[in-house]
Amino acid sequence: MKIGNVEINSKLALAPLAGITDMAFRKICRDFGAGYCETEMVSAKALSFNDKKSLELMELSSDEHPCAIQIFGNEPDIMGSAAKIAEKKGADIVDINMGCPAPKIVNNGSGSALMKNPKLCGEIVKAVKDAVDIPVTVKIRKGFDDDSITAVEVARICEQNGADAVIVHGRTRQQYYSGQCDLDIIKAVKQNVSVPVIGNGDVKDVKSAEKMLDFTGCDGLMVARAALGMPWIFRILKEYFDKGIIIEPPSPRDKLRIMTEHIELVCKYKGEYMGMLQSRKQIALYLKGFKGAAGFRNEAGRVSTLEDMYSLVDRVSKNI
């Protein structure tokens, strides 16, 4: 797959997830076979005020390319300025968020609220495209609600204004993450634009991944929630698509080892105090399915140091 002039040597991409897809998680997923990752979404408005936390979200490591920085907002000029910052930060691609369903984003007219205004979507893409020399992509939803299914219209307008690829989540904003991902809408977008289309929604195993590719004809797959606490999903999918084999997931002890390496990496990047604070949710996700998981996950919500985590891992190991 080629997005603009950027070669993506894989069908598999990691979706941007707020509070999740930091530098450490992106590295873990890349190591397991994700060929392309995106940062957490960054507020263009906050960047216009030189917000430190927003700038930190855009930090990329030297070995994580190709990688996109995702920005959100609803003012074309401010989005263009944010895109310039993303380019200076080393992004290979700028991705525009037109799909976030969170109320605080939607109520400000950003994220999936843009699906109600295709004209504005085009204006934002044009402003961003004019501002940078790197490819520009958009991540959209099926529509805002059942009375506003605009994915095809938005995708076409975005392409006309310079978008180099379209990522489609097959749900409306009204659905959030409930119900089924609509493969028909992803197929319809693919049939109506000439740029690459990446499918997103309910890709959780080999069967669902193959079904999306075969049914929609999309060029790539974006994995989101299925990677939470299970980054090896990328290796499972990669082995199947590359070699036609289905491999087993890691053993429980290997899962604990992967989790430990992941959290150690978070602490390396963010410091132990902040790293452990932000990793509690991740630890709980990794422990899902273990014997006695409910109690252990409750403990995960209280870990404050790496030693706390090592002690928890030791107790979980003895329970396997």
Side-chain angles (χ1 to χ4, degrees):
M1 180 169 57
K2 195 171 183 180
I3 298 177
N5 60 354
V6 176
E7 291 281 354
I8 312 272
N9 296 319
S10 172
K11 291 182 176 71
L12 306 172
L14 172 66
L17 295 163
I20 299 291
T21 51
D22 57 13
M23 200 185 299
F25 190 64
R26 297 195 303 267
K27 175 172 171 45
I28 293 291
C29 291
R30 283 200 321 278
D31 289 347
F32 276 113
Y36 173 60
C37 298
E38 295 198 8
T39 66
E40 302 172 59
M41 63 179 184
V42 183
S43 167
K45 178 74 81 173
L47 288 173
S48 71
F49 295 112
N50 205 33
D51 179 67
K52 183 182 177 184
K53 288 185 178 179
S54 297
L55 289 167
E56 288 174 352
L57 290 175
M58 304 172 90
E59 293 296 333
L60 305 177
S61 63
S62 59
D63 62 347
E64 66 167 314
H65 298 280
C67 187
I69 289 178
Q70 188 187 69
I71 58 175
F72 74 91
N74 64 351
E75 298 169 272
D77 56 338
I78 292 177
M79 289 289 280
S81 297
K84 287 181 180 179
I85 298 172
E87 185 174 31
K88 288 178 182 176
K89 283 285 191 178
D92 300 286
I93 293 169
V94 176
D95 184 52
I96 302 169
N97 184 310
M98 298 182 179
C100 178
K104 66 178 182 180
I105 306 297
V106 171
N107 292 341
N108 284 325
S110 301
S112 54
L114 291 170
M115 297 302 297
K116 296 187 289 184
N117 193 340
K119 181 175 178 291
L120 179 57
C121 291
E123 291 170 357
I124 290 172
V125 171
K126 185 178 188 309
V128 170
K129 188 71 177 176
D130 289 346
V132 298
D133 294 322
I134 56 177
V136 174
T137 61
V138 294
K139 189 169 191 297
I140 68 175
R141 280 193 170 233
K142 176 180 177 179
F144 191 79
D145 53 32
D146 289 340
D147 296 321
S148 179
I149 306 300
T150 54
V152 171
E153 182 183 3
V154 168
R156 292 177 69 178
I157 286 175
C158 288
E159 180 186 30
Q160 290 163 9
N161 282 279
D164 295 286
V166 180
I167 304 156
V168 189
H169 184 160
R171 287 182 174 86
T172 63
R173 188 270 174 171
Q174 187 179 45
Q175 286 180 278
Y176 276 75
Y177 302 103
S178 66
Q180 296 291 312
C181 171
D182 184 354
L183 297 184
D184 287 304
I185 198 70
I186 299 174
K187 181 178 182 178
V189 171
K190 175 61 184 171
Q191 291 174 339
N192 279 276
V193 298
S194 58
V195 295
V197 172
I198 299 173
N200 177 218
D202 293 350
V203 176
K204 57 188 177 182
D205 50 26
V206 165
K207 183 178 179 180
S208 57
E210 187 172 44
K211 181 179 179 181
M212 181 176 282
L213 279 174
D214 289 349
F215 183 84
T216 69
C218 63
D219 302 278
L221 301 173
M222 186 163 270
V223 180
R225 289 173 295 158
L228 302 183
M230 202 172 72
W232 49 84
I233 181 73
F234 289 104
R235 179 168 292 170
I236 292 171
L237 296 178
K238 182 175 171 57
E239 288 293 306
Y240 180 75
F241 288 126
D242 288 356
K243 303 174 185 176
I245 60 174
I246 297 178
I247 63 171
E248 292 295 317
S251 68
R253 294 192 187 281
D254 280 338
K255 289 179 182 179
L256 290 175
R257 176 184 56 78
I258 293 163
M259 179 190 80
T260 300
E261 292 174 359
H262 178 183
I263 307 310
E264 288 174 339
L265 197 58
V266 175
C267 291
K268 175 184 175 182
Y269 290 144
K270 299 182 178 181
E272 187 170 354
Y273 174 77
M274 188 57 67
M276 293 309 301
L277 198 64
Q278 294 184 7
S279 293
R280 291 170 176 173
K281 183 193 296 184
Q282 296 273 22
I283 295 170
L285 288 165
Y286 275 108
L287 295 179
K288 187 176 181 180
F290 278 83
K291 184 179 178 182
F296 289 133
R297 292 170 76 188
N298 187 46
E299 285 186 56
R302 298 191 299 272
V303 294
S304 298
T305 66
L306 282 169
E307 281 303 321
D308 289 344
M309 182 187 69
Y310 297 147
S311 176
L312 176 59
V313 168
D314 186 56
R315 292 196 299 280
V316 175
S317 296
K318 291 176 180 176
N319 213 39
I320 292 174

